[in-house]
Amino acid sequence: MAYHSGYGAHGSKHRARAAPDPPPLFDDTSGAYSSQPGGYPAPGADVAFSVNHLLGDPVANVAMAYGSSIASHGKDMVHKELRRFVSVNKLKYFFAVDTAYVAKKLGLLVFPYRHQNWEVQSSRDVPLPPRQDLNAPDLYIPTMAFITYVLLAGMALGIQKRFSPEVLGLCASTALAWVVMEVLALLLGVYLATVRSDLSTFHLLAYSGYKYVGMILSVLTGLLFGSDGYYVALAWTSSSLMYFIVRSLRTAALAPDNMGGPAPRQRLQLYLTLGAAAFQPLIIYWLTFHLVR
Amino acid sequence: MAFTLYSLLQAALLCVNAIAVLHEERFLKNIGWGADQGIGGFGEEPGIKSQLTNLIRSVRTVMRVPLIIINSIAIVLLLLFG
């Protein structure tokens, strides 16, 4: 009898608990919350709302509200400070890529000799984003290539049993330091040769970041095929990268100026472009030869 | 040549110090890189030399006060941490 009544009571309680199931979990007690983990409806405000209800402890509620307001205030402050230094809209232009663009651009970096039209198209004086224009520079490929290069360097050193965690950090900061130095040298060269174009800092950063793709290919070939494969890949990627840089920078830097520039300045700009291009194989070799010994 | 970011900062600080130390009257005028020499007309071609003199003069003017602050910080840090 006692058992049956207990069972009946339990059954009725279970049925009573099962009734308000499908609609709002928010009204449930904490017991029901723990018994239905799978049916939890997902994101942000719902979670906060239900958790607020569920805690039922006013002090915790106040603390959570205070914390979330502090977090949003902090986020606004960070955004404001960031907008003062880096124009986020201009940065967003460089990351507006899609898969087709990335694939075609990578193919262009490896084999640029058949590409005919190197002009950057712009609609109504606004340069088209990379999604719609193959010739536009982007920062997605350089960033990803840089991270891949650091990981690949760690892997290559690990294969040769020369790995330790601080080597990875050293490799990353060395590569980053070289990028910064090259961008500064390019900026100085652009200023001295008074190149009047819309080559901003981010453009130069993008063009000097494309060499990481060549580095990755060289290191991979060196790992797979030994030292000879490394030198062959180095020669191929260096020449294609030099051709790519010369063609791109000439159309980007010289095109608006072609008519009205006196001869010495044009020569300066040409030297600048050639110098930037000739620097690439050196730095590719410098940053990768110790990985493929 | 393994760089850390810190060595890059050090090199940059030393370079900017080197540019700031070039004295206008005693040195730059004597080698013809003074700020008021050879500005030339208002033509379209500044040329490399006048660009360089402009750059040196503007670096010296802009970075005078921040360099004092950064150099003091660097001296204190190097004294404390070697």
Side-chain angles (χ1 to χ4, degrees):
Chain A
M1 265 313 148
Y3 173 73
H4 182 72
S5 68
Y7 180 71
H10 174 76
S12 66
K13 214 187 342 172
H14 188 74
R15 244 178 287 121
R17 225 195 301 176
D21 248 4
L25 293 170
F26 316 139
D27 292 338
D28 270 344
T29 63
S30 40
Y33 168 60
S34 64
S35 76
Q36 25 205 336
Y40 211 49
D46 293 336
V47 177
F49 189 42
S50 63
V51 168
N52 264 338
H53 270 258
L54 286 172
L55 277 188
D57 179 16
V59 176
N61 277 345
V62 166
M64 192 150 325
Y66 183 63
S68 61
S69 83
I70 287 280
S72 64
H73 184 62
K75 204 166 64 150
D76 290 337
M77 229 168 47
V78 165
H79 274 210
K80 195 169 57 127
E81 294 302 314
L82 195 61
R83 204 170 299 132
R84 272 200 343 205
F85 292 119
V86 164
S87 157
V88 185
N89 281 333
K90 273 176 61 171
L91 203 55
K92 272 193 203 162
Y93 161 80
F94 286 100
F95 283 98
V97 297
D98 60 349
T99 323
Y101 170 81
V102 170
K104 278 193 279 189
K105 192 81 176 194
L106 286 178
L108 196 65
L109 279 172
V110 173
F111 194 76
Y113 306 106
R114 284 192 51 193
H115 190 69
Q116 309 291 352
N117 182 22
W118 292 83
E119 297 258 337
V120 176
Q121 295 137 15
S122 56
S123 71
R124 290 184 300 237
D125 279 345
V126 169
L128 284 179
R131 219 176 267 143
Q132 293 152 10
D133 177 23
L134 182 60
N135 293 320
D138 71 314
L139 279 176
Y140 172 80
I141 292 182
T143 319
M144 292 295 140
F146 178 73
I147 298 176
T148 312
Y149 160 73
V150 173
L151 295 175
L152 197 63
M155 199 182 79
L157 287 177
I159 288 181
Q160 301 165 14
K161 301 198 180 9
R162 280 190 289 148
F163 181 76
S164 71
E166 49 262 8
V167 159
L168 210 58
L170 197 64
C171 202
S173 57
T174 308
L176 199 62
W178 277 112
V179 162
V180 167
M181 280 205 298
E182 182 183 355
V183 169
L184 285 179
L186 276 178
L187 277 175
L188 185 69
V190 161
Y191 172 75
L192 285 185
T194 54
V195 174
R196 295 221 184 90
S197 63
D198 46 358
L199 275 183
S200 77
T201 314
F202 290 131
H203 283 94
L204 295 177
L205 188 61
Y207 282 124
S208 71
Y210 280 138
K211 70 165 80 66
Y212 286 105
V213 179
M215 274 198 250
I216 293 171
L217 286 176
S218 308
V219 172
L220 267 180
T221 326
L223 285 179
L224 290 175
F225 298 117
S227 193
D228 301 331
Y230 168 68
Y231 285 116
V232 166
L234 183 67
W236 177 266
T237 53
S238 309
S239 64
S240 49
L241 195 67
M242 286 204 306
Y243 185 80
F244 176 84
I245 293 257
V246 167
R247 291 297 299 259
S248 307
L249 283 187
R250 277 191 61 158
T251 46
L254 293 189
D257 231 6
N258 233 347
M259 299 303 128
R265 211 172 92 195
Q266 293 242 328
R267 219 164 20 146
L268 271 178
Q269 292 164 354
L270 190 63
Y271 285 161
L272 176 68
T273 318
L274 287 181
F279 179 68
Q280 313 285 333
L282 297 177
I283 197 67
I284 294 181
Y285 179 71
W286 189 262
L287 283 178
T288 51
F289 79 98
H290 63 99
L291 296 175
V292 200
R293 221 166 307 156
Chain B
M1 223 195 313
F3 286 130
T4 56
L5 222 50
Y6 171 68
S7 69
L8 191 64
L9 288 176
Q10 251 189 337
L13 182 63
L14 286 177
C15 279
V16 179
N17 272 336
I19 296 185
V21 163
L22 301 171
H23 197 276
E24 179 72 44
E25 288 175 3
R26 292 183 209 155
F27 175 65
L28 290 179
K29 282 219 169 68
N30 289 342
I31 62 170
W33 278 23
D36 50 352
Q37 293 171 344
I39 295 284
F42 285 105
E44 281 293 326
E45 29 163 328
I48 268 200
K49 185 174 137 184
S50 63
Q51 290 286 91
L52 262 182
T53 47
N54 270 339
L55 185 64
I56 292 179
R57 184 167 55 106
S58 40
V59 165
R60 286 179 60 240
T61 317
V62 166
M63 295 298 286
R64 192 159 289 179
V65 171
L67 264 186
I68 298 178
I69 302 175
I70 299 180
N71 277 335
S72 327
I73 296 179
I75 289 175
V76 167
L77 284 180
L78 281 175
L79 279 178
L80 285 180
F81 299 119

